[in-house]
Amino acid sequence: MKLSPPSPQSEIRHPPLQDYCRALAAEEAGLREGGGAPGLERQHKLGRLTARERLAALLDAPADFFELGLWAAHGMYREWGAFPAAGVVTGIGRIAGRTAMLIANDATVKAGAFVPMTCKKILRAQRIAFECALPLVYLVDSAGVFLPMQDEIFPDEDDFGRIFRNNAVLSAAGLPQFAAIMGNCVAGGAYLPVLCDKILMTEGSGLYLAGPSLVKAAIGQEVDSEALGGAAMHAEISGTVDFREKDDAACLARLKNLIGLLPEESSKLQHPGSGESSSPAKQPNDLYSLISPDGRQQYDMRDLLACVIDAGALDEYKADYGKSLVCAYARLGGRAVGIVANQRTRVLSKTAGLQMPGVIYADSADKAARFILDCNQTHLPLIFFQDVSGFMVGKDAEQSGIIRAGAKLVNALSNSTVSKLTVIVGGSYGAGNYALCGKAFDPRFIFAWPTAKYAVMGAAQASDVVYNILARSSATERTPDELAALREQVRQNYVEQADIRYGAARGWVDTIIQPHETRAVLLTALACAARPPPKANFHTGVLQV
């Protein structure tokens, strides 16, 4: 089922929120099929498992795998075909009782070749692992760089080489890294496993800087794949791999044993909360009656929070001041947190009068800045809920010092050192995205509901502005019909780009979540964010050769 973006015309045309979310979930199921039946058949013919089959065999509880970046590359690179999930599966799961970040090349998608979003997705996974002090597991099966796009993959600071730089930095920070080569591992990609702590390799796999064809073209030498970089050669002659395994099953079993040698995690990390205090006041499914797919329905943010946080745990900060933002101390699964969320119903200010839903005013920006400072003082992680249209504009807003107040909030957020989590519920527009911890402000994780919209302003306002610019810049006078068609084309383009799937494809959010899963997702994210930071005690000097 294909999910259509919400129509701006009439709420009657929209399916209920639950149906809307189910349609997106059906699309996600298609993304998890990777290269589909032909890719799966090819992998099995080689005697290899697919990326997701490998993960299922490795994880303690495959159903609990917390996948990140599923929508990466969605709708991108159309001239080269589809790249579901950017040809790599990333996420957090438990192996032998240890929580780890997993990165698995999907060889059913263009032989696991890297496109630009593949690099960015892996870099994001490495960053989350570093910030959450998670060991990393790489299941390597990739043909290397997708050569038709090499200029967009190879040279920049957020491209292919940054992955290997991160391998070294993660190692220096004392975070264990395991690499299992279960297929191709060629060219620059060969550095990834060799920069890891432990290297496993299956028979029939290949690890080399240049394959047989390139070796012949470069130096005229004829050599087969096994002699050049097979598992036997690297186990017996080069000494590069630590464990030579017969097949995928043996390799994954060994890998699980090795990860089981890591220090055991404390029960506090494994079970963040229990008992009555860990239940919300309202049922998570109540969220579906709270919000409309088009985002026009007003609601009280406290009703949303009641479906997420522990019952009776909300202590609202300055509840009678700056009411367009809700700031509160709370507990989630027993963990103490600070919450900043914009109000989605009209509120009345004693000094400023009526304030519109989803808009940040000067008094609320001041309040939120002070609240963020206080949470840093007491080391409380911060959770941001966004359904925001932006900051208030106009003469009254400017005279109230809205720019100064907004700058204060952005400054406090930018220098915040506690863990930050962000959930985009509806709109995430303009500077409101920044002020409530958008991607540019280093949230540890950033999640979005299917209803989320990501843009510099709403579609109606933006399409009018862009239309006027294009209409004025035209060399020839257009007919009314041509102008109407232009306006509609601009609006359609803007609606498509504001759709959260467009943003998720480009890595602006880590994952799109179902509304009723918000609490469970935040509990998982908080458990990772609460892990003690890595201690970078081990360093090397000059390596002898």
Side-chain angles (χ1 to χ4, degrees):
M1 186 190 307
K2 181 157 178 70
L3 181 66
S4 301
S7 162
Q9 306 294 328
S10 168
E11 190 171 316
I12 297 174
R13 297 184 186 179
H14 298 154
L17 178 59
Q18 202 156 17
D19 291 343
Y20 186 85
C21 293
R22 282 173 179 162
L24 186 135
E27 263 196 282
E28 290 189 333
L31 294 175
R32 290 190 178 93
E33 293 177 1
L40 184 145
E41 184 181 347
R42 184 174 60 251
Q43 198 71 351
H44 287 176
K45 197 171 182 179
L46 291 168
R48 299 170 184 165
L49 301 174
T50 66
R52 293 186 184 276
E53 289 171 338
R54 288 166 177 163
L55 290 172
L58 186 60
L59 291 164
D60 295 345
D64 294 336
F65 179 58
F66 183 40
E67 185 164 359
L68 304 170
L70 175 61
W71 288 87
H74 175 67
M76 301 173 69
Y77 321 128
R78 286 173 177 158
E79 65 273 31
W80 303 110
F83 287 85
V88 64
V89 183
T90 64
I92 298 168
R94 292 179 66 77
I95 305 169
R98 280 72 174 171
T99 306
M101 174 65 74
L102 295 102
I103 299 172
N105 299 116
D106 186 351
T108 70
V109 179
K110 301 289 192 296
F114 280 60
V115 290
M117 279 310 304
T118 314
C119 297
K120 289 173 174 56
K121 183 171 173 177
I122 292 175
L123 291 173
R124 177 63 176 161
Q126 288 180 321
R127 177 170 183 170
I128 290 172
F130 180 81
E131 292 178 342
C132 296
L134 293 169
L136 290 100
V137 178
Y138 305 89
L139 305 183
V140 184
D141 191 354
S142 170
V145 166
F146 186 64
L147 290 178
M149 302 183 72
Q150 63 83 26
D151 61 318
E152 299 179 53
I153 303 167
F154 167 66
D156 213 341
E157 65 182 357
D158 59 351
D159 285 343
F160 202 49
R162 188 75 171 187
I163 295 171
F164 316 134
R165 174 265 185 196
N166 287 353
N167 287 136
V169 170
L170 288 160
S171 182
L175 294 177
Q177 295 177 88
F178 302 81
I181 303 165
M182 294 186 282
N184 291 316
C185 184
V186 300
Y191 287 112
L192 184 150
V194 182
L195 284 162
C196 291
D197 304 347
K198 294 179 178 65
I199 310 168
L200 299 81
M201 187 174 181
T202 59
E203 294 177 4
S205 295
L207 172 66
Y208 30 65
L209 291 178
S213 299
L214 184 54
V215 168
K216 184 176 180 180
I219 64 173
Q221 185 181 71
E222 292 196 20
V223 59
D224 64 41
S225 179
E226 279 299 315
L228 182 64
M233 191 283 288
H234 282 303
E236 299 171 3
I237 300 174
S238 78
T240 299
V241 302
D242 303 318
F243 299 92
R244 172 187 170 188
E245 304 297 340
K246 180 181 178 181
D247 54 23
D248 281 15
C251 185
L252 293 169
R254 174 90 68 179
L255 183 56
K256 196 161 190 169
N257 288 341
L258 294 171
I259 294 170
L261 298 174
L262 294 176
E264 292 186 11
E265 295 182 357
S266 70
S267 58
K268 185 178 178 182
L269 290 177
Q270 295 179 37
H271 306 289
S274 61
E276 237 176 79
S277 65
S278 292
S279 299
K282 295 185 177 182
Q283 293 300 312
N285 280 332
D286 290 350
L287 292 168
Y288 290 101
S289 61
L290 196 64
I291 296 175
S292 62
D294 66 354
R296 294 181 180 181
Q297 184 172 309
Q298 292 189 40
Y299 61 92
D300 192 322
M301 180 56 73
R302 299 178 193 88
D303 291 333
L304 186 153
L305 295 176
C307 299
V308 177
I309 64 171
D310 297 352
L314 189 77
D315 293 305
E316 189 170 350
Y317 176 82
K318 294 185 188 293
D320 298 320
Y321 180 78
K323 296 179 183 179
S324 69
L325 283 178
V326 174
C327 299
Y329 306 106
R331 288 189 179 273
L332 187 65
R335 293 189 191 278
V337 297
I339 290 174
V340 181
N342 57 273
Q343 184 57 276
R344 283 297 301 180
T345 188
R346 290 182 178 88
V347 296
L348 186 63
S349 165
K350 287 289 182 70
T351 56
L354 193 66
Q355 295 184 336
M356 302 303 292
V359 178
I360 301 175
Y361 291 79
D363 55 353
S364 53
D366 273 342
K367 177 175 81 171
R370 174 66 177 77
F371 181 75
I372 289 170
L373 295 175
D374 187 73
C375 286
N376 275 268
Q377 187 79 353
T378 51
H379 308 290
L380 284 183
L382 284 159
I383 304 177
F384 295 83
F385 288 87
Q386 292 191 12
D387 192 353
V388 60
S389 303
F391 282 83
M392 190 58 190
V393 297
K395 184 178 76 172
D396 291 344
E398 298 295 352
Q399 291 181 354
S400 74
I402 188 70
I403 297 176
R404 183 180 68 250
K408 191 186 303 180
L409 174 53
V410 168
N411 195 320
L413 181 65
S414 301
N415 290 291
S416 175
T417 58
V418 297
S419 301
K420 301 185 290 289
L421 310 177
T422 300
V423 182
I424 305 174
V425 173
S428 181
Y429 294 116
N433 167 277
Y434 302 155
L436 297 182
C437 201
K439 184 68 180 290
F441 292 83
D442 299 326
R444 192 68 55 88
F445 294 92
I446 181 166
F447 308 114
W449 286 10
T451 46
K453 298 288 178 288
Y454 232 140
V456 73
M457 64 180 75
Q461 304 96 312
S463 58
D464 280 349
V465 173
V466 175
Y467 161 78
N468 288 331
I469 292 171
L470 292 176
R472 286 198 304 268
S473 64
S474 176
T476 59
E477 188 172 342
R478 302 181 190 235
T479 67
D481 286 345
E482 288 174 334
L483 289 172
L486 175 62
R487 182 187 292 273
E488 178 59 20
Q489 182 60 52
V490 169
R491 191 192 66 79
Q492 287 287 356
N493 289 344
Y494 201 87
V495 167
E496 179 184 346
Q497 291 176 13
D499 190 298
I500 193 56
R501 292 167 295 180
Y502 186 93
R506 287 152 182 81
W508 302 342
V509 298
D510 292 316
T511 188
I512 301 175
I513 63 174
Q514 297 290 311
H516 69 275
E517 295 174 343
T518 303
R519 175 180 167 86
V521 166
L522 287 174
L523 283 171
T524 299
L526 269 178
C528 292
R531 295 170 65 90
K535 297 177 181 178
N537 294 328
F538 175 76
H539 292 280
T540 63
V542 177
L543 295 174
Q544 299 302 319
V545 297

